[in-house]
């Protein structure tokens, strides 16, 4: 077995000879000290537990020495000493092999293990590299969101050093289309050493061996399972873990899976406030690089606040036209977002693009065109849905303004529609372009995981509420809840959202039905006009993933955002039916959302990302609407990409359903760094259904 281990790891016995001798000496010293203590204890106490006399102590000491030293008469007493010697020999043998294993991991695996490391240190090191969180007391558990915890910031599934090592050791010839079991033993040692100790099977590891190997190391939540011989140091288990593993990557093979187009979202400030293209030469180089790895196209925001900035119905498309021509020449496709909201103040916003100046002027004299909370604070991120049919925007209603903007875009870029360059138009329906109320504004004091506040206190929405209450016959219901807490409240702290709270009473059901129906009516009205403006083209609407407090009965955060989705009602099926009515696709920004379950802050917020994901997807697929997606978090590592792939192409879907396209957020200098771009290239190929095991290093 020693020869096998040296062949596998390639370590020298001399590297750890001093450590082994030190361990043996310590054991001998401990045994000697324990023997002396045992003799002293027997000398101090008699059979009945009382202190013996001095002469009796001398007799006891003589008897003990005879029993230890006499081979014949003390055979029965010396058996424990023989067993102790055999145990010491086994322990020396075990420590020698373990030392060689650790030396090989230090030398060939670049693991920073302490001199007196044990198998628990190995597990901790492997868990950290796999992206897990390892606490000081040794507790280990998966971190589902890279960067969400300090311990997980640097724990990408493959570090830069390990990825470089892999790319250096793979053969120079192409390995595309080759199964993961082809590797010879030498290639297995070089390529798979860091993959054999995955603390738990990754969500994308479908092999039965992956489950059996990891389940004996760490259980869910970091609890140790019954397979503790590995923790205790059993060499049989170590051999089984290292030698007996099949040479398989812990990744799904996406070869032959459906082709899913990949788009890259361009930077928010690619067009400035004068509608001029910023750094066209640099952008052209980046687009060529994207084209070189067969990215299908790019997504771009067309900002209302830039194009119609100065005066009503005066549109400036110059910067966008230059950009679109550049994309057309490279034979890329375009996804365009009609952005009717302001940019700045939200997560990921690195530029400030306000609403048109003339709209801001109207807002100063009539602030009720904006969403308003109970305290009278205005949210200028987008226009209130209360003015969808009110002629308060220089003689036009809000939906007429949106339609005129979309029609101008269609006329300006008609040739790009006819040539099929513009593949999809996503219509902004609220803050961040999403169909929701701006219920969680940071500038008004909201902090995660607050429930947010209802946004229905401008005069136009209150008038709509009064009308609905009178039609119901209860005019005194024409008010918002007065016990719904504040932005950062928790459900149990309020009388409205707590268990058996007012949200499920007669008034609560009336109010929430009116509040959510206004959201659906807004989406229905705007999408009907978008369908008219972009006839023959694919349109889409974006939904948020509000997953906190999903495990409570009220789903408070969803209620304030306009989704009437408590535990006893499906609030997404009506939205899906509305999208189906207009042939619109659903863009659900949740490509990796369901893998956040283990984050401590999500557990405290009684969040359930996975439950929300499947509820929304089931509603979409039941109504037969197209689903597209984008990543909600920055991703540059293989583990994150694999999570996205598993969501976009679900392996267990009985009907073989998958997303129609995926948009990567977003094009940045960090993405264009060599190692990150190599991982992204590999991700694109797998999205396209190509059989790729290793990166070959792009020439760019």
């Amino acid at each position: 077995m020693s020869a096998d281990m040296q062949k596998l790891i390639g370590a020298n016995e001399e590297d750890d000879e001093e450590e082994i001798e030190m361990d043996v000496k310590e054991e001998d010293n401990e045994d000697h000290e324990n023997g002396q203590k045992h003799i002293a204890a027997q000398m101090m106490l008699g059979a009945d537990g009382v202190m013996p006399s001095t002469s009796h102590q001398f007799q006891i000491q003589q008897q003990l020495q005879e029993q230890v030293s006499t081979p014949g008469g003390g055979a029965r007493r010396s058996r424990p000493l023989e067993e102790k010697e055999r145990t010491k020999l086994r322990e020396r043998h075990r420590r020698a092999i373990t030392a060689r294993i650790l030396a090989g991991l230090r030398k060939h695996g670049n693991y920073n293990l302490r001199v007196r490391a044990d198998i628990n240190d190995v597990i901790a090191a492997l868990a950290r590299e796999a992206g897990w969180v390892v606490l000081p007391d040794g507790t280990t558990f998966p971190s589902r969101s890279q960067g969400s915890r300090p311990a997980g910031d640097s724990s990408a599934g493959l570090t830069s050093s390990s990825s470089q090592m892999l790319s250096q050791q793979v053969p120079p010839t192409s390995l595309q289309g080759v199964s993961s079991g082809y590797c010879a033993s030498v290639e297995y040692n070089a390529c798979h050493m860091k993959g054999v100790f995955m603390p738990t099977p990754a969500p994308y590891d479908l092999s039965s061996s992956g489950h059996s190997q990891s389940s004996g190391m760490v259980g869910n939540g970091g609890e140790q399972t019954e397979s503790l011989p590995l923790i205790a140091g059993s060499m049989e288990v170590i051999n089984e873990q290292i030698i007996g593993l099949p040479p398989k990557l812990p990744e799904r093979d996406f070869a032959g899976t459906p082709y899913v187009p990949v788009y890259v979202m361009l930077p928010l400030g690619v067009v400035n406030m004068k509608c001029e293209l910023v750094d066209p030469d640099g952008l052209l180089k980046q687009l060529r690089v994207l084209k070189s790895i067969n990215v299908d196209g790019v997504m771009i925001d067309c900002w209302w606040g830039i194009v119609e900035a100065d005066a009503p119905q005066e549109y400036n498309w110059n910067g966008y036209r230059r950009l679109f021509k550049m994309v057309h020449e490279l034979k890329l496709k375009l996804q365009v977002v009609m952005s009717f909201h302001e940019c700045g103040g939200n997560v990921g916003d690195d530029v400030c693009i306000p609403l048109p100046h003339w709209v801001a002027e109207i807002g100063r004299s009539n602030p009720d065109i904006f969403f308003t909370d109970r305290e009278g604070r205005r949210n200028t991120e987008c226009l209130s849905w209360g003015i969808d049919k009110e002629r308060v925007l220089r003689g036009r209603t809000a939906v007429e303004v949106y339609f005129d903007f979309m029609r101008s875009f269609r006329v300006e870029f008609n040739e790009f529609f006819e040539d099929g360059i513009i593949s999809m138009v996503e219509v902004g329906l609220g803050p961040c372009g999403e169909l929701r109320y701006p219920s969680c504004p940071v500038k008004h004091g909201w902090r995660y995981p607050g429930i947010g506040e209802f946004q229905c206190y401008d005069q136009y929405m209150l008038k709509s509420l009064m009308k609905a209450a009178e039609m119901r016959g209860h005019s005194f219901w024409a008010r918002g809840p007065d016990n719904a807490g504040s932005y950062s409240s928790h459900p149990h702290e309020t009388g409205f959202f707590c268990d058996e709270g007012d949200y499920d009473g007669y008034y609560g059901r009336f109010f929430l039905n009116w509040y959510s129906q206004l959201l659906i009516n807004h989406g229905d009205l705007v999408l009907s006009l978008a369908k008219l403006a972009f006839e023959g083209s694919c349109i889409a609407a974006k939904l948020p993933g509000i997953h906190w407090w999903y495990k409570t009965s009220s789903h408070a955060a969803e209620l304030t955002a306009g989704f009437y989705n408590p535990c006893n009602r499906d609030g997404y099926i009506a939205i899906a039916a509305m999208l189906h009515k207009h042939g619109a696709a659903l863009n659900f920004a949740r490509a990796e959302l369901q893998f956040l379950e283990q984050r401590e802050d999500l557990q405290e917020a009684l969040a359930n990302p996975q439950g929300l994901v499947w509820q929304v997807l089931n509603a979409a697929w039941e109504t037969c609407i197209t689903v597209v997606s984008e990543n909600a978090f920055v991703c540059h590592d293989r583990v994150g990409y694999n999570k996205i792939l598993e969501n976009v192409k679900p392996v267990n879907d009985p009907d073989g359903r998958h997303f129609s396209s995926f948009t990567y957020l977003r094009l940045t200098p960090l993405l264009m760094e060599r190692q990150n771009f190599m991982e992204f290239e590999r991700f694109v190929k797998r999205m396209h259904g190509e059989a790729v095991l290793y990166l070959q290093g792009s020439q760019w």
Side-chain angles (χ1 to χ4, degrees):
M1 184 171 73
S2 175
D4 293 336
M5 297 305 299
Q6 185 171 359
K7 182 179 179 180
L8 175 65
I9 302 178
N12 294 325
E13 183 178 356
E14 297 176 357
D15 295 340
D16 298 273
E17 185 175 353
E18 295 180 1
E19 177 182 343
I20 298 170
E21 292 178 357
M22 186 184 302
D23 293 336
V24 173
K25 289 179 181 179
E26 287 182 359
E27 288 182 353
D28 293 339
N29 292 336
E30 290 176 1
D31 293 339
H32 179 71
E33 291 175 2
N34 291 336
Q36 293 293 335
K37 292 179 181 178
H38 182 67
I39 293 173
Q42 290 190 349
M43 289 177 59
M44 293 297 295
L45 297 177
D48 55 355
V50 299
M51 185 69 68
S53 62
T54 305
S55 60
H56 187 55
Q57 290 180 11
F58 180 75
Q59 292 176 359
I60 292 175
Q61 185 173 6
Q62 276 189 327
Q63 292 175 2
L64 291 175
Q65 290 177 350
E66 290 174 0
Q67 289 174 359
V68 173
S69 61
T70 303
R76 185 169 179 270
R77 293 282 185 174
S78 64
R79 183 176 300 174
L81 296 178
E82 293 175 0
E83 291 180 357
K84 188 176 296 184
E85 288 297 328
R86 287 196 297 269
T87 301
K88 288 166 62 176
L89 289 175
R90 287 196 300 268
E91 183 66 16
R92 292 172 186 172
H93 186 58
R94 183 192 68 78
R95 292 198 179 198
I97 296 175
T98 303
R100 293 169 193 153
I101 294 173
L102 298 179
L105 290 174
R106 295 187 191 100
K107 181 177 180 180
H108 300 288
N110 296 326
Y111 286 104
N112 185 19
L113 301 174
R114 60 189 179 93
V115 176
R116 306 294 298 280
D118 58 13
I119 198 63
N120 292 317
D121 297 308
V122 176
I123 294 173
L126 291 162
R128 290 190 187 96
E129 182 173 357
W132 285 40
V133 175
V134 180
L135 300 181
D137 63 355
T139 304
T140 308
F141 56 88
S143 176
R144 297 300 188 189
S145 174
Q146 300 298 329
S148 61
R149 293 172 60 94
D153 287 344
S154 60
S155 302
L158 281 177
T159 61
S160 299
S161 60
S162 64
S163 299
Q164 293 171 0
M165 182 182 69
L166 287 175
S167 63
Q168 292 171 1
Q169 292 176 347
V170 296
T173 58
S174 174
L175 297 178
Q176 296 183 6
V178 183
S179 65
S180 59
Y182 90 100
C183 290
S185 59
V186 175
E187 293 170 334
Y188 169 67
N189 293 340
C191 302
H192 299 277
M193 227 13 245
K194 290 193 178 183
V196 299
F197 272 105
M198 293 299 291
T200 63
Y204 42 84
D205 187 357
L206 303 179
S207 63
S208 59
S209 60
H211 291 275
S212 61
Q213 294 150 11
S214 59
S215 60
M217 298 174 69
V218 180
N220 292 334
E223 296 178 358
Q224 295 178 354
T225 62
E226 294 179 0
S227 302
L228 290 179
L230 177 60
I231 308 298
S234 171
M235 281 313 302
E236 290 79 11
V237 180
I238 294 177
N239 293 336
E240 183 179 356
Q241 289 288 327
I242 297 180
I243 300 177
L245 287 180
K248 292 184 179 180
L249 287 172
E251 295 181 294
R252 229 182 95 195
D253 184 8
F254 288 91
T257 56
Y259 185 101
V260 175
V262 177
Y263 293 78
V264 175
M265 173 70 82
L266 295 183
L268 292 171
V270 68
V271 175
N272 62 23
M273 289 300 299
K274 296 180 180 179
C275 203
E276 298 171 342
L277 188 60
V278 178
D279 190 18
D281 294 335
L283 179 62
L284 180 60
K285 293 179 182 179
Q286 292 179 325
L287 292 178
R288 285 174 176 167
V289 172
L290 295 178
K291 178 64 178 179
S292 70
I293 63 171
N294 296 320
V295 167
D296 295 270
V298 294
M299 177 178 269
I300 179 68
D301 286 280
C302 288
W303 294 98
W304 182 33
I306 292 178
V307 176
E308 197 181 359
D310 298 324
Q313 296 181 287
E314 292 184 6
Y315 306 104
N316 178 8
W317 299 102
N318 293 337
Y320 292 105
R321 172 163 288 279
R322 186 176 180 184
L323 172 61
F324 288 9
K325 286 182 178 180
M326 188 183 299
V327 172
H328 188 13
E329 291 172 357
L330 292 174
K331 297 182 179 179
L332 293 170
K333 291 188 177 295
L334 276 166
Q335 290 181 339
V336 182
V337 183
M338 301 284 102
S339 297
F340 297 111
H341 61 284
E342 73 174 12
C343 178
N346 292 310
V347 177
D349 291 350
D350 54 4
V351 297
C352 180
I353 304 175
L355 296 184
H357 303 312
W358 59 273
V359 173
E361 292 178 0
I362 296 174
R364 281 190 285 270
S365 60
N366 181 14
D368 285 296
I369 66 172
F370 301 119
F371 284 106
T372 308
D373 63 16
R374 186 176 182 83
E375 300 296 325
R377 289 168 290 197
R378 314 289 183 173
N379 191 320
T380 60
E381 187 174 354
C382 60
L383 297 179
S384 168
W385 301 334
I387 64 170
D388 278 354
K389 298 181 180 180
E390 298 286 340
R391 295 190 178 278
V392 295
L393 300 176
R394 304 282 177 88
R396 293 185 296 167
T397 66
V399 293
E400 288 175 345
V401 170
Y402 304 148
F403 176 71
D404 291 341
F405 182 88
M406 292 185 288
R407 183 173 56 183
S408 173
F409 175 82
R410 176 58 193 263
V411 171
E412 181 73 20
F413 300 105
N414 183 61
E415 68 270 23
F416 295 96
F417 284 96
E418 293 180 350
D419 295 340
I421 302 301
I422 298 178
S423 60
M424 186 181 75
V425 179
E426 182 179 302
V427 183
L429 297 174
C432 297
E434 300 170 338
L435 180 60
R436 64 174 175 89
Y437 287 90
S439 57
C440 301
V442 175
K443 61 184 178 182
H444 290 168
W446 176 83
R447 296 294 181 271
Y448 178 85
I451 58 177
E453 290 191 19
F454 293 112
Q455 304 292 312
C456 59
Y457 293 94
D458 62 81
Q459 62 167 318
Y460 302 103
M461 293 192 72
L462 289 176
K463 183 172 68 174
S464 173
L465 179 58
M466 172 64 76
K467 183 178 179 180
E470 290 176 348
M471 289 180 62
R472 183 67 184 272
H474 303 290
S475 57
F476 57 92
W477 281 355
R479 56 177 178 82
D482 55 7
N483 58 347
S486 59
Y487 283 111
S488 296
S489 297
H490 292 184
H492 63 273
E493 299 171 349
T494 72
F496 191 80
F497 297 114
C498 65
D499 291 344
E500 300 182 358
D502 292 345
Y503 79 93
D504 202 28
Y506 289 109
Y507 161 73
R509 290 195 294 268
F510 158 78
F511 173 80
L512 293 173
N513 184 72
W514 166 82
Y515 190 73
S516 61
Q517 190 60 45
L518 209 60
L519 174 142
I520 296 174
N521 291 344
H522 170 74
D524 181 53
L525 188 56
V526 176
L527 289 178
S528 65
L529 296 176
K531 183 179 179 181
L532 181 62
F534 304 118
E535 184 177 2
S537 300
C538 176
I539 60 175
K542 186 176 178 181
L543 283 186
I546 302 178
H547 49 75
W548 54 101
W549 307 118
Y550 190 90
K551 291 182 180 180
T552 62
S553 59
S554 63
H555 293 218
E558 293 171 86
L559 295 184
T560 58
F563 304 108
Y564 191 7
N565 189 52
C567 62
N568 56 356
R569 188 180 188 275
D570 189 343
Y572 295 99
I573 194 68
I575 296 174
M578 181 268 293
L579 296 178
H580 175 73
K581 173 184 175 182
H582 302 292
L586 167 65
N587 181 4
F588 191 36
R590 42 68 61 198
E592 73 282 39
L593 191 60
Q594 70 187 80
F595 292 100
L596 304 180
E597 300 287 346
Q598 299 300 322
R599 276 178 46 182
E600 183 178 350
D601 56 345
L602 295 185
Q603 295 175 357
E604 293 176 355
L606 296 178
N608 187 6
Q610 186 172 4
L612 173 66
V613 164
W614 287 114
Q615 182 183 359
V616 174
L617 289 184
N618 287 333
W621 283 328
E622 284 179 10
T623 52
C624 301
I625 62 176
T626 302
V627 180
V628 299
S629 187
E630 60 190 42
N631 52 305
F633 303 97
V634 176
C635 177
H636 297 295
D637 61 272
R638 187 169 299 184
V639 173
Y641 286 136
N642 283 329
K643 293 174 182 178
I644 294 173
L645 282 159
E646 285 296 335
N647 280 281
V648 173
K649 301 180 179 183
V651 64
N652 294 322
D653 191 279
D655 301 315
R657 293 172 295 198
H658 58 86
F659 292 1
S660 296
S661 68
F662 174 79
T663 302
Y664 176 84
L665 270 63
R666 77 182 55 245
L667 180 61
T668 62
L670 186 59
L671 173 65
M672 304 307 288
E673 292 181 3
R674 181 173 181 81
Q675 188 59 40
N676 292 338
F677 194 77
M678 291 171 68
E679 286 294 339
F680 182 68
E681 178 186 8
R682 185 177 188 271
F683 166 72
V684 171
K685 291 180 178 179
R686 300 178 78 196
M687 274 288 194
H688 290 169
E690 300 179 23
V692 177
L693 291 181
Y694 302 103
L695 290 172
Q696 298 302 311
S698 303
Q699 300 298 326
W700 56 285

